[in-house]
Amino acid sequence: MNIIAVFVLGLLIGWLAEWIIDWFYWRGRLQKAARENTDLKERVASLEAGGRKKTSPVHSPLLTDRFGNDNFQVIKGIGPAFSKRLNDAGVHTFERLAELTPEEMEEILGALFKRVFSKQNTIIAQAKQFAQLKEQNG
């Protein structure tokens, strides 16, 4: 009987210790999560109050790169590698890029072009927008 009482008392003390540790551990984590949740709600409210402005590719201020060529990287989906390939192929302006057909784009950019750009005409449409913006700004 004495051994069973010690065993049960040990189980109870172990359970109590585990409960206390979990209480302090999770309480701290839950409070931190609640603070983060409050911060996120405040950020969302400030964004909604400020009015979200849809970023249009036409309003980008960096239309030319450091070499004076048109900066193709402002077009969504074109990075440094595609920009370099276009420049190496003799395409240096938005106007010239807008004149290209999807087949010519694929020839310049390779087979990766079709995989990366599901809608191939989006690049050409954005190039036309940037060409018009450049023309308007003089």
Side-chain angles (χ1 to χ4, degrees), residues 6 63 71 83 92 95 104 113 115 125 128:
V6 170
L63 293 179
N71 184 12
S83 181
H92 298 287
E95 293 84 4
E104 292 172 324
F113 173 70
R115 281 186 267 153
K128 287 178 183 176

Side-chain angles (χ1 to χ4, degrees), residues 18-91:
E18 181 186 3
W19 183 80
I20 290 171
I21 291 169
D22 284 347
W23 171 263
F24 285 108
Y25 177 77
W26 287 112
R27 187 174 73 177
R29 284 195 157 214
L30 290 174
Q31 288 175 348
K32 180 181 176 186
R35 283 191 303 269
E36 289 175 357
N37 192 17
T38 304
D39 293 343
L40 287 174
K41 284 181 180 179
E42 289 173 0
R43 287 177 58 195
V44 167
S46 69
L47 285 173
E48 288 174 350
R52 292 187 190 150
K53 297 179 182 175
K54 183 179 178 185
T55 56
S56 173
V58 179
H59 292 38
S60 178
L62 305 171
L63 293 179
T64 58
D65 62 10
R66 59 184 173 174
F67 302 113
N69 297 328
D70 287 351
N71 184 12
F72 295 137
Q73 293 182 35
V74 296
I75 295 175
K76 183 178 179 182
I78 293 185
F82 280 174
S83 181
K84 183 177 182 326
R85 285 185 184 182
L86 288 167
N87 287 330
D88 290 346
V91 180

Side-chain angles (χ1 to χ4, degrees), residues 57-60 63-64 70-72 74-75 91-100 122-138:
V58 179
H59 292 38
S60 178
L63 293 179
T64 58
D70 287 351
N71 184 12
F72 295 137
V74 296
I75 295 175
V91 180
H92 298 287
T93 63
F94 291 119
E95 293 84 4
R96 176 69 182 113
L97 181 60
E99 293 170 357
L100 294 177
T122 58
I123 291 177
I124 296 169
Q126 288 181 47
K128 287 178 183 176
Q129 288 178 338
F130 283 119
Q132 291 172 354
L133 178 66
K134 201 171 92 176
E135 185 180 304
Q136 291 172 358
N137 292 339

